[in-house]
Amino acid sequence: MQVPILKQGAYLIASIQSALSDADLMQLRDALVAKVSTFRSRGVIVDVTVLDVMDSFASRTLRDLVHMIKLRGAITVIVGIQPEVAFAMVQLGLTLEGVATALDLEEGLAYLDNKTIKKASAQRDG
Amino acid sequence: MDETRIAIRVDMDVVAARQSGRTLAAELGFNNTDATLIATAISELARNIILYAKEGEIILSTLHKSEPCGIVVVARDKGPGISNLEQAMKMGYSTSGSLGMGLPGVSRLMDEFKIDSRPGLGTTVMVKKWKR
């Protein structure tokens, strides 16, 4: 099942569906990295609101995704981790360290706006 | 005793197993948080089967007292087995990646955890969770 990736200005938004297999996750990772190049996106939002289980593989693949996109010069934020999922992740010891998260899509967009403006002004003044 | 067996061979089976687990948990009256913990534990156990044994099965069943009050998940394979069980039970996930099989994590998700594994003979993990 392919995850829909929408372009919103300089950002890409991927909304994960609940029944995501390992192969789907890896496909999403590769598709996002490719699209960042194609659309010269500056930010990526991965919306996991509907994801009902975040296990070690999902956690690792999301972390890899974030770092790969960072190497391509863009920022990723994971949004919508549900309370029960967050609880299970902490029990399992999955911290998603190094990964930016936000409560929901709105917060995620605000985060990206903030980060990309800071980046642009740093480059200007630096 | 009613049992649901899910063969684990490919990654889609991991999805099937955890969805079966979630459905059974909901039927038994577990709250959403516990159902998520159960589904997550199943996902990890099923994934271990694929990673280390290539194939195996997940068996779901119900714990009864006077009425259904819990769930049992058995993850069984005929893979290589774990040579150092003590170490495996100490190795959790690290920040740099996934170390080992995340067994301590799985045992934290559930109420009871039992593992039987012998090199060359395969591995059986049994976890249980009771309704609150």
Side-chain angles (χ1 to χ4, degrees):
Chain A
M1 194 187 310
Q2 270 208 341
V3 177
I5 299 173
L6 307 169
K7 179 180 184 314
Q8 180 150 330
Y11 305 149
L12 294 176
I13 301 174
S15 293
I16 289 191
Q17 316 303 304
S18 56
L20 213 64
S21 73
D22 292 1
D24 294 333
L25 262 174
M26 292 191 287
Q27 194 179 65
L28 171 66
R29 179 197 62 199
D30 299 342
L32 276 173
V33 175
K35 287 203 151 92
V36 162
S37 307
T38 312
F39 297 118
R40 303 180 73 83
S41 308
R42 287 202 303 271
V44 174
I45 293 182
V46 181
D47 189 339
V48 301
T49 304
V50 186
L51 194 66
D52 58 345
V53 168
M54 177 88 72
D55 60 12
S56 60
F57 182 85
S59 168
R60 206 176 329 136
T61 308
L62 282 180
R63 251 206 348 251
D64 289 349
L65 183 162
V66 168
H67 289 135
M68 284 164 80
I69 290 173
K70 186 171 179 199
L71 288 172
R72 299 292 295 149
I75 302 162
T76 310
V77 55
I78 310 294
V79 310
I81 296 174
Q82 293 307 293
E84 321 81 58
V85 176
F87 185 55
M89 286 172 70
V90 169
Q91 296 295 97
L92 261 184
L94 305 171
T95 57
L96 276 189
E97 218 176 82
V99 170
T101 54
L103 189 66
D104 55 25
L105 190 57
E106 193 178 320
E107 295 292 315
L109 288 167
Y111 177 88
L112 286 180
D113 285 345
N114 192 281
K115 284 282 170 180
T116 47
I117 288 171
K118 276 211 183 98
K119 205 174 166 191
S121 61
Q123 283 170 344
R124 220 174 27 242
D125 305 331
Chain B
M1 194 187 350
D2 266 339
E3 261 184 13
T4 308
R5 285 173 180 260
I6 303 124
I8 305 294
R9 236 170 286 130
V10 294
D11 73 345
M12 277 313 288
D13 297 334
V14 176
V15 178
R18 68 176 183 241
Q19 284 185 329
S20 279
R22 182 178 282 278
T23 304
L24 181 58
E27 275 169 19
L28 292 174
F30 278 99
N31 65 42
N32 204 16
T33 302
D34 283 345
T36 301
L37 298 185
I38 292 164
T40 307
I42 292 173
S43 199
E44 288 302 304
L45 291 175
R47 174 154 299 104
N48 279 346
I49 291 176
I50 294 186
L51 278 177
Y52 299 101
K54 302 257 176 7
E55 65 178 333
E57 61 177 353
I58 297 275
I59 305 160
L60 304 175
S61 53
T62 310
L63 284 167
H64 289 88
K65 273 224 175 91
S66 49
E67 41 144 62
C69 63
I71 191 172
V72 184
V73 178
V74 174
R76 177 177 295 150
D77 68 67
K78 293 209 174 68
I82 302 168
S83 48
N84 193 338
L85 205 46
E86 204 182 301
Q87 196 184 38
M89 283 313 296
K90 287 210 201 108
M91 289 166 83
Y93 295 112
S94 75
T95 50
S96 59
S98 164
L99 268 191
M101 295 154 257
L103 294 173
V106 170
S107 82
R108 275 195 298 271
L109 290 171
M110 305 294 279
D111 295 330
E112 235 185 70
F113 178 98
K114 228 189 288 186
I115 182 166
D116 187 10
S117 184
R118 267 160 280 192
L121 288 175
T123 303
T124 301
V125 179
M126 181 195 292
V127 289
K128 297 182 185 168
K129 197 163 193 74
W130 283 279
K131 259 164 62 177
R132 259 176 267 251

